[in-house]
């Protein structure tokens, strides 16, 4: 029997089992109830006292968004300045040079927006100091920002009336100290125990058994890998990310890191159920997410394990499956599952090279990012889903001829308009970016020599560009890395797409939540829509699929779908 | 607004210290309890460091068990994959050349038995492993070069095989560095 399929199943089961108590715990943190980690309280209070913040002071949605944008802007400034001058600073044993300005812009935006698109390569582009005080730091607080934004929406949905949604500063810091930090410490220790290094010594010269001289890059890897997995960040210490044997040495670390990608996004939905005391509602959302996730993952696993038809034509065997760009210790099934987990959650770490995945896997990876709602990023995953829920409520309302309402609050024109704008901006930035890049490529004379962007010809080359903008728009950060993306055009274009793709989908839904919160509550009656019913789940799933398919299918048909038919057996 | 900026500035500064400095230093300190592992698990043979347990190195000579092709020539200071797409004709030509080269070095092997991992590049470019089967098909070549019996080599591979967890999970493989060190010790 082929046992390779057991591991993916086991990972998903284990993740869900851990996510239930974690969700309950997260709900308590948001509500400010007692937890076993209250020993952090003096530290948090100390920080708030110095900053002059009153964590108990509740703010409406506008004040919260203002706080969120202000602090994010400061993080951006911090990152870009340090990146541009890393050569002048200390803790740089391998003498890494400063980042070129557009690359520094792209990287600063990328880490601030929780994207972690990397147009540099870790071991040659960033000093140890940068990896810690810029990347590791932003991987915490950008994830904390997403979780806090979700907490604001939670509060709005639970409010009977009033416009107070909680305090962003308080929620952001506690998301970091109470949720991310303890998990990161556990994961980092598991990694070190299994061989992930944590050292401040520079690269070591070694003469190999065969007599070659090689230099082996190392560094404080373990702490960064832990948080990049948990915070759906994805920015690796080394270029190949978790395909690198130091970032991900064996089966156990792969299991841990894969589960870490999914754990908080899943737990957030359980947290919603506990927070609102509507557990059936969270089960409904999770069923929709899980169904979508399994469709994507199953297709990708199937095609990776079947191998590359073009390699089969060469007359050799593919006992494992498609192995180009993959590591023997993971094999195709776990690489495929990772590819889907990382794209549907906006994580963006990889344990195999997506550029060398089979075309159908590329299709599923891109769909994962384009729909961006099957679990989604920490916090923002739920927020994306919230937009789809508003749209589904609206459509259901139209179908039965009643004013759409959610939890006893009317959903009116203003909310629907915002939801539609948010839902349409995502495809707009992705598709117009890809169109612009394709146009530049097509309009230049001999682009393979003058632009040198693409590593692969034909349909696959188009996929590389579509993937890059999809990944930026979804704040994912993975890439089909054959694309030579460290050029001013890609640095700036992807940077802008990341900014729009991060903040519009946070501001819009939080605003909707703010409006809903302030509305008059009417008790649910027999005629009200039941958002926790199976039928609503079906409507929700259909809305996601139809919206996604209609908007993205033409683009996908030009890339991975065409490539698939061109190499079919 | 000014109050917002002041709060944000101080909060940022404190969190940089907490998550950018204290957290990694705490993990670093914990790592000191496992000093070998936190240095990357160096492998020592005949009194010198010959590599790191998990970092693959280039084995291309006929007397060693050969590893996978690498897009970066096993350069562990600048790692990466080939990023070639499944349909790329240049890439497929390259794989074809690798198959031919493999057959020249291993004349006893049937083309259809060559596992694809031996002619495709890994994601990291420093994959430390090959599957047990990919090691077994190299036996006859190594036996001739080293004048060893094939049975002895098969035993060696079995001894260095890292099996599946609980007999079910993962992939049966060998660590090439450890296997080749052991191989050198036989002669």
């Amino acid at each position: 029997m082929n046992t390779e399929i057991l591991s993916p199943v086991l990972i998903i089961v284990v993740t869900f089992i851990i996510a239930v108590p974690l969700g309950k715990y997260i709900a308590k943190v948001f509500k400010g109830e007692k937890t076993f980690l209250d020993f952090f309280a003096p530290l948090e209070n100390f920080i708030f006292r110095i900053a002059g913040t009153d964590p108990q002071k509740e703010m409406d949605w506008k004040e919260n968004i203002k706080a969120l944008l202000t602090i994010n802007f400061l993080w951006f400034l911090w990152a870009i300045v340090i990146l541009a001058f890393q050569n002048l600073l200390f803790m740089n044993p391998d003498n890494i040079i400063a980042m070129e300005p557009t690359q520094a812009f792209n990287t600063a935006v990328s880490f601030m927006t929780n994207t972690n698109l990397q147009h540099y390569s870790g071991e040659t582009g960033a000093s140890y100091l940068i990896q810690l005080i810029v990347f590791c730091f932003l991987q915490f607080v950008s994830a904390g920002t997403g979780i806090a934004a979700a907490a604001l929406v939670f509060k709005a949905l639970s409010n009977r009336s009033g416009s107070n949604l909680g305090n962003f500063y308080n929620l952001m810091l506690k998301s970091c100290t109470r949720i991310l930090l303890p998990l990161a410490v556990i994961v980092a220790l598991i990694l070190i125990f299994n061989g992930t290094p944590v050292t401040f010594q520079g690269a070591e010269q070694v003469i190999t058994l065969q007599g070659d001289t090689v230099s082996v890059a190392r560094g404080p890897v373990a702490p960064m890998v832990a948080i990049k997995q948990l915070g759906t960040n994805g920015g690796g210490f080394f270029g190949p990310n978790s395909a690198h044997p130091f970032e991900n040495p064996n089966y156990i670390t792969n299991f841990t890191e894969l589960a870490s990608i999914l754990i908080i996004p899943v737990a957030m939905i359980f947290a919603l159920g506990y927070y609102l005391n509507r557990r059936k509602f969270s089960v409904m959302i999770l069923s929709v997410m899980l169904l979508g996730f399994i469709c994507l993952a199953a297709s990708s696993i199937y095609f990776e394990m079947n191998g590359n038809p073009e390699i089969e034509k060469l007359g050799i065997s593919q006992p494992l499956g498609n192995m180009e760009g993959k590591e023997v210790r993971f094999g195709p099934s776990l690489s495929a599952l990772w590819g889907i987990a990382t794209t549907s959650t906006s994580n963006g770490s990889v344990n195999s090279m997506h550029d060398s995945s089979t075309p159908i896997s590329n299709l599923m990876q891109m769909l994962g990012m384009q729909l961006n709602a099957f679990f989604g990023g920490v916090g923002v995953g739920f927020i994306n889903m919230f937009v789809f829920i508003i749209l589904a409520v609206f459509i259901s309302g139209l179908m039965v001829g009643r004013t759409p309402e959610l939890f006893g609050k009317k959903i009116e024109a203003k909310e629907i308009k915002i939801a539609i704008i948010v839902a349409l901006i995502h495809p707009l930035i992705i598709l117009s970016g890809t169109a612009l890049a394709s146009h530049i490529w097509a309009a230049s004379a001999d682009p393979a020599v003058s632009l040198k962007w693409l590593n692969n010809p034909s349909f696959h080359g188009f996929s590389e560009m579509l993937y890059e903008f999809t990944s930026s728009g979804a704040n994912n950060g993975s890439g089909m890395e054959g694309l030579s993306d460290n050029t001013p055009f890609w640095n700036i274009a992807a940077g802008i797409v990341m900014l729009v793709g991060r903040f519009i989908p946070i501001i819009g839904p939080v605003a909707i939540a703010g409006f809903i919160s302030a509305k008059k509550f009417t008790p649910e009656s027999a005629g009200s829509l039941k958002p926790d019913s199976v039928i609503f789940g079906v409507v929700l799933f259909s809305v996601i699929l139809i919206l996604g398919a209609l908007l993205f299918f033409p683009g996908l048909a030009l890339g991975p779908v065409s490539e698939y038919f061109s190499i079919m057996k | 607004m000014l109050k917002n900026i002041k709060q944000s500035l101080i909060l940022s500064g404190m969190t940089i210290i907490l998550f950018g400095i204290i957290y990694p230093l705490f993990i670093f300190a914990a790592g000191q309890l496992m000093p070998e592992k936190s240095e990357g698990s160096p492998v020592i043979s005949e009194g010198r460091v010959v590599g790191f347990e998990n970092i693959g190195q280039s084995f291309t000579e006929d007397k060693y068990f050969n590893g996978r092709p690498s897009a970066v020539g096993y350069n562990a200071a600048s790692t990466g994959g080939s990023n070639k797409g499944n349909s790329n004709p240049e890439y497929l030509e390259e794989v074809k050349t690798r198959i031919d080269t493999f057959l020249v070095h291993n004349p006893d092997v049937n083309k259809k038995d060559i596992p694809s991992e031996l002619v495709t590049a890994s994601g990291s470019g420093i994959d430390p492993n090959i599957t047990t089967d990919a090691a077994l098909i190299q036996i006859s070549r190594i036996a001739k070069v080293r004048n060893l019996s094939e049975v002895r080599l098969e035993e060696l591979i079995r001894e260095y095989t890292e099996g599946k967890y609980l007999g079910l999970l993962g992939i049966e493989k060998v660590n090439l560095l450890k296997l080749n060190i052991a191989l050198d010790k036989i002669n």
Side-chain angles (χ1 to χ4, degrees):
Chain A
M1 191 190 111
N2 194 333
T3 55
E4 256 215 84
I5 197 68
L6 286 176
S7 301
V9 175
L10 192 66
I11 288 174
I12 294 173
V13 171
V14 169
T15 305
F16 269 76
I17 292 173
I18 304 174
V20 178
L22 182 61
K24 201 171 186 175
Y25 168 77
I26 291 175
K28 279 188 181 172
V29 172
F30 287 172
K31 285 188 168 175
E33 288 172 11
K34 269 198 182 132
T35 64
F36 65 100
L37 285 175
D38 280 344
F39 59 83
F40 278 117
L43 176 71
E44 293 153 359
N45 291 337
F46 171 71
I47 293 177
F48 284 132
R49 208 170 47 240
I50 296 186
T53 305
D54 175 8
Q56 304 309 326
K57 190 192 151 223
E58 301 221 358
M59 304 190 282
D60 65 13
W61 75 267
K62 274 188 194 159
E63 292 166 316
N64 273 308
I65 288 291
K66 225 183 268 170
L68 184 152
L69 293 176
T70 312
I71 201 164
N72 270 271
F73 182 66
L74 292 178
W75 296 338
F76 165 75
L77 289 181
W78 164 254
I80 194 167
V81 169
I82 305 260
L83 288 171
F85 296 104
Q86 63 170 337
N87 55 327
L88 306 177
L89 297 162
F90 47 95
M91 264 175 78
N92 186 0
D94 296 326
N95 296 316
I96 287 163
I97 57 167
M99 278 194 190
E100 172 270 325
T102 64
Q103 192 189 22
F105 164 74
N106 182 284
T107 309
V109 169
S110 164
F111 278 84
M112 174 196 58
T113 57
N114 197 247
T115 311
N116 294 205
L117 192 72
Q118 294 168 293
H119 286 184
Y120 65 95
S121 185
E123 58 266 56
T124 53
S127 70
Y128 293 171
L129 184 76
I130 298 291
Q131 300 266 24
L132 298 180
I133 65 167
V134 178
F135 298 161
C136 191
F137 156 66
L138 284 177
Q139 287 179 333
F140 272 95
V141 291
S142 69
T145 299
I147 299 175
L152 298 175
V153 179
F154 281 18
K155 180 82 199 304
L157 290 177
S158 75
N159 279 350
R160 280 268 166 132
S161 63
S163 53
N164 284 339
L165 304 187
N167 185 306
F168 170 78
Y169 295 119
N170 184 31
L171 290 166
M172 192 275 294
L173 183 66
K174 282 195 179 147
S175 301
C176 293
T177 53
R178 304 291 181 98
I179 302 169
L180 294 165
L181 185 62
L183 287 171
V185 169
I186 296 171
V187 171
L189 292 179
I190 296 176
L191 293 180
I192 301 174
F193 189 72
N194 283 283
T196 301
V198 49
T199 173
F200 289 99
Q201 296 186 41
E204 177 152 329
Q205 292 275 342
V206 174
I207 295 172
T208 67
L209 210 54
Q210 214 179 250
D212 310 322
T213 307
V214 293
S215 151
V216 179
R218 300 182 286 182
V221 186
M224 184 163 160
V225 174
I227 184 62
K228 78 148 175 163
Q229 294 304 106
L230 286 162
T232 57
N233 294 289
F237 196 93
F238 300 106
N241 210 290
S242 278
H244 194 292
F246 271 161
E247 285 201 26
N248 194 359
N250 61 27
Y251 184 87
I252 302 284
T253 56
N254 194 59
F255 194 108
T256 311
E257 290 181 23
L258 234 170
S260 302
I261 295 179
L262 297 168
I263 187 92
I264 296 180
V266 175
M268 284 299 288
I269 309 297
F270 282 115
L272 175 75
Y274 287 112
Y275 192 96
L276 299 178
N277 213 2
R278 289 179 188 270
R279 276 175 236 175
K280 262 183 82 185
F281 182 58
S282 73
V283 170
M284 184 281 297
I285 298 181
L286 276 172
S287 312
V288 169
M289 289 177 159
L290 188 62
L291 178 66
F293 182 82
I294 288 176
C295 290
L296 298 177
S299 324
S300 181
I301 291 173
Y302 174 82
F303 279 95
E304 291 309 315
M305 288 179 70
N306 255 347
N308 177 357
E310 293 286 335
I311 296 279
E312 197 175 315
K313 285 178 202 157
L314 297 177
I316 60 170
S317 75
Q318 303 188 76
L320 293 175
N322 175 28
M323 284 304 285
E324 182 70 32
K326 291 195 180 57
E327 303 286 298
V328 168
R329 62 194 182 284
F330 311 136
S333 72
L334 284 174
S335 300
L337 178 70
W338 187 302
I340 297 305
T342 193
T343 47
S344 56
T345 60
S346 102
N347 183 292
S349 63
V350 295
N351 77 343
S352 71
M353 295 300 121
H354 288 186
D355 222 339
S356 303
S357 300
T358 58
I360 297 297
S361 288
N362 286 150
L363 174 69
M364 297 302 152
Q365 290 154 0
M366 284 196 248
L367 266 178
M369 296 185 278
Q370 287 160 350
L371 303 177
N372 212 8
F374 298 144
F375 302 129
V378 290
V380 289
F382 165 71
I383 293 183
N384 288 334
M385 195 47 131
F386 176 63
V387 173
F388 285 120
I389 290 172
I390 296 289
L391 294 177
V393 165
F394 173 60
I395 289 169
S396 314
L398 289 183
M399 287 199 283
V400 295
R402 284 180 61 104
T403 313
E405 56 175 59
L406 181 67
F407 304 149
K409 300 287 183 83
K410 285 201 171 75
I411 309 288
E412 290 166 301
K414 192 155 66 168
E415 290 84 50
I416 301 293
K417 278 184 200 155
I418 300 174
I420 292 281
I421 290 171
V422 171
L424 290 182
I425 281 208
H426 179 62
L428 180 74
I429 50 178
I430 292 172
L431 296 175
S432 50
T434 312
L436 179 64
S438 306
H439 173 74
I440 295 176
W441 181 265
S444 55
D446 207 1
V449 177
S450 59
L451 295 174
K452 298 196 207 82
W453 289 345
L454 305 180
N455 193 33
N456 291 284
S458 185
F459 307 120
H460 197 88
F462 175 77
S463 294
E464 288 180 337
M465 297 194 281
L466 178 61
Y467 194 110
E468 181 77 1
F469 277 109
T470 303
S471 171
S472 308
N475 289 161
N476 183 277
S478 65
M480 289 170 77
E481 294 297 340
L483 184 77
S484 303
D485 45 20
N486 185 22
T487 65
F489 169 75
W490 285 101
N491 284 338
I492 294 169
I496 293 169
V497 170
M498 283 189 278
L499 282 172
V500 178
R502 171 70 166 178
F503 291 107
I504 301 292
I506 286 183
I507 298 170
V510 170
I512 297 176
F515 294 140
I516 292 180
S517 171
K519 284 187 190 204
K520 206 173 101 252
F521 176 79
T522 34
E524 290 164 66
S525 65
S528 311
L529 172 80
K530 306 244 170 338
D532 52 8
S533 58
V534 175
I535 190 89
F536 183 74
V538 174
V539 173
L540 181 59
F541 192 75
S542 316
V543 166
I544 297 172
L545 223 57
I546 293 168
L547 211 64
L550 284 181
L551 293 166
F552 288 107
F553 196 75
L556 292 169
L558 292 174
V561 176
S562 297
E563 191 190 6
Y564 169 70
F565 284 115
S566 76
I567 62 169
M568 230 170 50
K569 281 173 214 171
Chain B
M1 197 64 218
L2 259 178
K3 182 158 185 276
N4 250 340
I5 294 175
K6 190 194 141 220
Q7 284 184 44
S8 298
L9 261 178
I10 298 174
L11 207 55
S12 303
M14 301 296 274
T15 41
I16 288 169
I17 296 170
L18 186 57
F19 301 120
I21 299 171
I22 297 179
Y23 159 72
L25 282 183
F26 175 77
I27 302 295
F28 173 76
Q32 297 312 299
L33 300 173
M34 299 170 263
E36 288 240 323
K37 283 178 175 165
S38 41
E39 295 289 313
S41 311
V43 174
I44 292 166
S45 174
E46 290 169 4
R48 68 181 182 94
V49 175
V50 291
F52 292 85
E53 189 180 323
N54 293 316
I55 301 297
Q57 43 183 259
S58 176
F59 287 110
T60 47
E61 292 174 9
D62 279 347
K63 63 174 180 170
Y64 286 121
F65 285 99
N66 291 174
R68 304 182 61 191
S70 161
V72 295
Y74 281 90
N75 178 357
S78 181
T79 48
S82 73
N83 291 310
K84 300 286 191 205
N86 278 193
S87 61
N88 187 333
E90 254 174 62
Y91 156 68
L92 294 166
E93 234 6 83
E94 208 179 328
V95 174
K96 217 167 159 186
T97 315
R98 288 181 193 144
I99 295 172
D100 294 340
T101 315
F102 187 85
L103 286 171
V104 170
H105 288 264
N106 301 271
D108 301 340
V109 174
N110 267 329
K111 188 174 174 185
K112 65 172 178 24
D113 294 332
I114 301 175
S116 64
E117 57 179 288
L118 283 179
V119 289
T120 53
S122 63
S124 61
I126 47 171
D127 193 337
N129 305 111
I130 55 174
T131 56
T132 308
D133 289 336
L136 287 171
I137 67 161
Q138 303 184 35
I139 281 186
S140 85
R141 181 192 77 229
I142 294 171
K144 274 182 208 144
V145 177
R146 295 205 178 228
N147 231 341
L148 286 168
S149 82
E150 295 195 7
V151 181
R152 180 74 192 87
L153 286 172
E154 197 177 331
E155 276 170 17
L156 188 75
I157 292 174
R158 298 289 173 206
E159 188 189 331
Y160 278 86
T161 293
E162 297 162 9
K164 300 182 175 193
Y165 282 90
L166 314 169
L168 284 174
L169 307 172
I171 287 167
E172 218 182 50
K173 58 191 187 310
V174 293
N175 180 305
L176 271 180
L177 179 58
K178 288 186 196 165
L179 180 65
N180 281 328
I181 289 175
L183 187 60
D184 268 349
K185 282 196 179 131
I186 296 181
N187 287 92

